[in-house]
Amino acid sequence: MKTPFENGQTHPRIRRGARGAAGLLGAALMAVALCAAPGTATASGAFITPKYPAAAPAGARGICQKYGWACERSAGKALDEASILRLAKTLNRKINRSVRPVSDERQYRRAEFWTLPTTRGGDCEDFVLLKKKTLAEAGIPSDRLLMATVLDRDLNNHAILILRTARGDLVLDNLTDRIVPWEKTRYTFLRMQNPERLDRWDAIFAGGLIGERG
């Protein structure tokens, strides 16, 4: 029997449900109204620009203690941009196709639990952690691999990995093998690791529905 990943098909969606999406979106729109200023992130910018410091997502609190590499800065190897992108494409596709999608509720009986995938599989946050770890071990500097949370096109809570390149921020997503610029995803970006202090997070509130209202 063929797997869902053959013939270039995208990774099956792990539905996290719309629970909490309305509240997050409301906070995002309020922040845009109150805090919009020149230089803040827009859906047309190549790089995501944070608005202000924010708490880490609930499931990611304590992740630095659990996995030191998730928040430690690493120098990486002397790779040019083309090599970094090739490496990212290869490993993104490999991980998407090798990890079975399974929700936290099913595996841990918890709404949200950030951890590396198990032999049973993992959900979107678990894919993000594995990609960050694998790409950093392959030589990409850790401050160019930023965990982020978004609302997807259906307003489901979702996590992705940002690859920061010289030309802009790209998205590594377990829902597709394609790596695209962040502003092309049509996701609503909520929070992202701070590249200067990986143990901290920033509010983003850009793209998606917010971009449409910008």
Side-chain angles (χ1 to χ4, degrees):
M1 181 180 295
K2 291 186 177 181
T3 69
F5 313 117
E6 292 178 353
N7 302 321
Q9 295 181 30
T10 57
H11 195 286
R13 183 179 294 265
I14 303 174
R15 294 290 182 184
R16 295 190 57 80
R19 184 175 60 251
L24 286 168
L25 182 57
L29 295 174
M30 182 176 293
V32 170
L34 295 176
C35 304
T40 56
T42 66
S44 61
F47 294 93
I48 299 171
T49 305
K51 282 187 166 60
Y52 50 80
R61 293 167 194 170
I63 203 70
C64 298
Q65 290 71 42
K66 184 175 183 178
Y67 300 125
W69 47 263
C71 304
E72 294 170 356
R73 294 174 67 93
S74 63
K77 298 178 181 178
L79 300 173
D80 58 34
E81 291 293 313
S83 297
I84 288 175
L85 189 54
R86 275 197 305 272
L87 184 61
K89 287 180 177 178
T90 298
L91 292 178
N92 184 63
R93 184 184 304 110
K94 180 179 179 180
I95 291 171
N96 281 355
R97 299 183 181 200
S98 63
V99 177
R100 178 176 178 270
V102 58
S103 68
D104 286 339
E105 288 89 348
R106 182 175 178 182
Q107 184 159 213
Y108 303 110
R109 301 188 185 282
R110 295 171 61 174
E112 187 178 2
F113 183 56
W114 290 47
T115 190
L116 287 170
T118 67
T119 54
R120 292 185 64 192
D123 72 350
C124 56
E125 298 97 350
D126 306 349
F127 279 84
V128 167
L129 284 164
L130 181 57
K131 289 176 185 181
K132 183 177 177 76
K133 180 176 186 291
T134 304
L135 288 166
E137 289 175 346
I140 298 178
S142 58
D143 59 358
R144 297 180 65 173
L145 301 166
L146 307 173
M147 299 184 288
T149 60
V150 303
L151 298 180
D152 68 14
R153 298 172 191 176
D154 297 320
L155 300 186
N156 292 313
N157 296 319
H158 187 45
I160 47 90
L161 184 67
I162 299 293
L163 172 62
R164 180 148 284 184
T165 72
R167 295 186 177 182
D169 291 335
L170 306 179
V171 170
L172 280 66
D173 193 342
N174 68 295
L175 303 183
T176 177
D177 291 339
R178 296 178 62 241
I179 296 178
V180 299
W182 76 277
E183 71 271 21
K184 300 295 185 182
T185 63
R186 293 167 50 203
Y187 288 167
T188 303
F189 284 70
L190 301 176
R191 283 178 279 197
M192 184 179 75
Q193 274 186 300
N194 184 310
E196 301 299 324
R197 288 286 305 270
L198 295 172
D199 59 333
R200 298 180 180 178
W201 288 68
D202 292 317
I204 303 301
F205 298 145
L209 293 177
I210 296 172
E212 293 171 6
R213 289 165 169 76

